[in-house]
Amino acid sequence: MLKEYGGGVRLVVKHLPYRYRDYSRIAAEASLAARDQGKFREMHLLLLDRSPKLDRESLLRYAKELELDVPRFTKDLDTMRHQTEIERDLKLGETLGLYNTPTIFINGVKLLGDRPIEEYMTVIDRELKAAGTGGKNR
């Protein structure tokens, strides 16, 4: 979708690890550790694909699979290097009353739960049109 809209849209991901899932916090750490090595998206997709296998050993295998610097990745996980960022995202989520994932905001329009891509595109097109940018670059 980012390619489809060119520079007309921006994706911002915030982490909302679910407290009742065993590995959600370490999975958030893993995605941020991968981000620091330029592979957030790749790790994020792996985590979604391989869930619920998100224990530490699985995450280290995924890091190796993505050809990350595994010692650096391991250190980031073990020291919870991104804890402050994750806590900040959690506080933002609480402030916004978020309890569902995914929750998507498109220019302030809140969409709860996983939805067909067409729904997101409809909202994006409407918001771009309202902003006077004319919609997607197709």
Side-chain angles (χ1 to χ4, degrees):
M1 204 161 32
L2 292 174
K3 288 180 185 174
E4 181 110 8
Y5 286 96
V9 298
R10 179 173 62 118
L11 175 65
V12 177
V13 175
K14 300 291 185 182
H15 298 273
L16 193 59
Y18 189 58
R19 75 177 69 176
Y20 300 110
R21 292 222 170 139
D22 292 339
Y23 303 117
S24 63
R25 172 137 338 225
I26 197 170
E29 288 280 351
S31 66
L32 293 171
R35 178 199 64 192
D36 291 350
Q37 296 186 42
K39 294 204 173 173
F40 172 82
R41 184 184 179 111
E42 293 85 347
M43 179 60 80
H44 183 76
L45 292 174
L46 258 182
L47 296 175
L48 292 173
D49 186 53
R50 309 267 171 90
S51 180
K53 291 182 180 175
L54 303 175
D55 58 277
R56 184 180 180 278
E57 293 309 312
S58 295
L59 296 174
L60 296 177
R61 276 196 312 277
Y62 304 156
K64 186 174 181 182
E65 187 176 324
L66 293 175
E67 300 179 352
L68 297 178
D69 176 341
V70 176
R72 177 180 165 194
F73 181 85
T74 303
K75 182 179 178 187
D76 287 352
L77 281 188
D78 291 345
T79 61
M80 299 181 69
R81 182 170 184 260
H82 303 91
Q83 183 174 0
T84 301
E85 184 174 347
I86 292 168
E87 289 297 326
R88 188 177 54 235
D89 288 354
L90 279 167
K91 281 191 177 225
L92 177 63
E94 288 173 15
T95 301
L96 296 171
L98 301 180
Y99 301 100
N100 294 348
T101 57
T103 299
I104 308 290
F105 287 93
I106 300 173
N107 206 25
V109 177
K110 185 177 179 181
L111 301 169
L112 293 174
D114 196 18
R115 295 174 178 231
I117 195 164
E118 293 80 13
E119 285 191 42
Y120 300 116
M121 294 172 86
T122 297
V123 176
I124 291 169
D125 289 342
R126 185 181 66 227
E127 293 301 311
L128 287 172
K129 187 176 179 182
T133 56
K136 57 193 165 218
N137 298 327
R138 292 195 277 178

